[in-house]
Amino acid sequence: MTEQLRLMAVHAHPDDESSKGAATMAKYVSEGVDVLVATCTGGERGSILNPKLQGDPYIEENIHEVRAKEMDEAREILGVKQEWLGFVDSGLPEGDPLPPLPEGCFALQDVEAAAEPLVRLIRSFKPQVITTYDENGGYPHPDHIMTHKITMVAFEAAGDPEKYPEAGEPWQPQKLYYNQGFNRARTVALHEALLARGLDSPYEEWLERWKAFNRPERTLTTYVPCADFFEIRDKALIAHRTQIDPDGGWFRVPMDVQREVWPTEEYELAKSLVDTSLPEDDLFAGIRNN
């Protein structure tokens, strides 16, 4: 295939692109693929999760601007392009019963209307492949679930000239994937490898929570080898310093263990308009040679 390959990753908040599929994106950038991150919200209601920055009055008062700068830094590290869809973070509701979502937030938008800026971006960028979250959002944050909803609508509508006629010339993406990097098989493999080496594992709690949730396992269809880009992934994640503690659990698994035990990032093929054989090792399988 002589045409430029293009990948779009649709995410809910700044930092999601660096924690989900970042090594995959960096790998494809290194191969000359054009990669664009579409970020639905500005992360305005995200908590400051790095204990070293909690209580900083400037950050608390300017969180939107701070997170935008963090996104700029992560984008440069990954070598990707990035666009904001312009929605307002819904926050993660907590409590029992859960409080209502804030008025005007992303998760309360009409799905068909909220898909319009994404349709416009798809038609402008013309990706063959799109990645996003599954119907559970990967985890049940209302913005992640909404991101799934608008991406499903946009994938179907972008190629239809009768849908969103003001949003540009139609373009039909060929494949849609769900990020499934936080899967049980990977977590168990890393957990057992750490214990076998006499090291502490940060995953014991995760595995207990998995049992408690009793959620069915997702189907992993696509394993992208990208171990050479794990360090770039971690640098991009650390750039989101309000969200990530560089001394926290994210970085407690030695890099050599990660590369040896689980050198891929995983996806679930949700829609494909091209023929492909499963399992895959390339998001562009069935597209490169057509």
Side-chain angles (χ1 to χ4, degrees):
M1 180 171 180
T2 55
E3 188 185 357
Q4 171 72 48
L5 294 175
R6 291 175 297 274
L7 170 66
M8 176 185 284
V10 188
H11 286 288
H13 311 105
D15 83 83
D16 286 324
E17 84 296 325
S18 296
S19 61
K20 303 165 190 70
T24 298
M25 292 193 295
K27 166 197 162 73
Y28 282 124
V29 167
S30 78
E31 295 173 358
V33 175
D34 204 359
V35 181
L36 173 66
V37 173
T39 311
C40 294
T41 80
E44 302 89 344
R45 290 192 170 95
S47 302
I48 299 170
L49 300 176
N50 184 347
K52 299 177 182 68
L53 300 180
Q54 287 169 353
D56 183 311
Y58 176 82
I59 293 175
E60 288 175 353
E61 290 169 21
N62 300 278
I63 188 67
H64 189 183
E65 180 186 324
V66 169
R67 295 197 71 179
K69 286 181 179 174
E70 292 174 347
M71 183 69 244
D72 283 344
E73 189 176 333
R75 171 182 52 73
E76 289 190 17
I77 291 167
L78 294 172
V80 301
K81 298 172 180 174
Q82 189 260 342
E83 296 282 350
W84 303 96
L85 294 191
F87 296 104
V88 176
D89 188 352
S90 306
L92 181 59
E94 295 179 293
D96 187 13
L98 291 174
L101 292 171
E103 187 177 344
C105 71
F106 178 43
L108 293 180
Q109 302 301 306
D110 175 80
V111 173
E112 297 287 330
E116 193 273 344
L118 183 55
V119 170
R120 188 178 294 276
L121 193 57
I122 290 170
R123 289 175 176 175
S124 167
F125 182 63
K126 298 180 170 56
Q128 293 94 351
V129 176
I130 295 177
T131 66
T132 192
Y133 317 130
D134 63 34
E135 66 276 10
N136 301 307
Y139 81 109
H141 189 299
D143 286 338
H144 285 239
I145 293 168
M146 187 63 165
T147 298
H148 163 82
K149 289 178 179 177
I150 71 164
T151 306
M152 301 308 285
V153 170
F155 183 89
E156 297 294 339
D160 186 344
E162 295 185 4
K163 299 282 182 67
Y164 305 96
E166 305 300 315
E169 290 295 314
W171 170 266
Q172 182 57 59
Q174 298 297 292
K175 298 174 87 175
L176 174 69
Y177 289 92
Y178 299 150
N179 296 293
Q180 297 295 357
F182 297 120
N183 58 77
R184 194 173 187 281
R186 171 185 180 272
T187 307
V188 169
L190 289 172
H191 175 68
E192 291 178 349
L194 290 168
L195 296 183
R197 289 163 172 77
L199 301 171
D200 289 335
S201 168
Y203 296 122
E204 196 152 347
E205 238 179 79
W206 287 33
L207 293 170
E208 287 302 318
R209 283 206 301 270
W210 243 305
K211 280 185 201 169
F213 284 148
N214 199 26
R215 276 207 339 226
E217 292 297 312
R218 304 295 305 199
T219 301
L220 305 179
T221 63
T222 310
Y223 298 75
V224 178
C226 51
D228 290 346
F229 300 89
F230 285 175
E231 286 183 354
I232 292 175
R233 170 204 66 194
D234 287 0
K235 284 179 186 172
L237 194 51
I238 289 169
H240 293 283
R241 43 189 67 81
T242 60
Q243 304 302 299
I244 298 295
D245 180 358
D247 301 316
W250 281 99
F251 310 105
R252 281 173 53 197
V253 181
M255 190 61 71
D256 61 324
V257 175
Q258 294 183 51
R259 287 184 173 137
E260 177 189 338
V261 174
W262 205 270
T264 60
E265 288 182 335
E266 293 71 54
Y267 298 84
E268 177 183 351
L269 181 60
K271 289 181 178 290
S272 182
L273 304 182
V274 297
D275 291 333
T276 184
S277 299
L278 302 180
E280 305 169 320
D281 62 3
D282 179 13
L283 299 181
F284 293 94
I287 293 173
R288 286 185 191 269
N289 300 318
N290 285 354

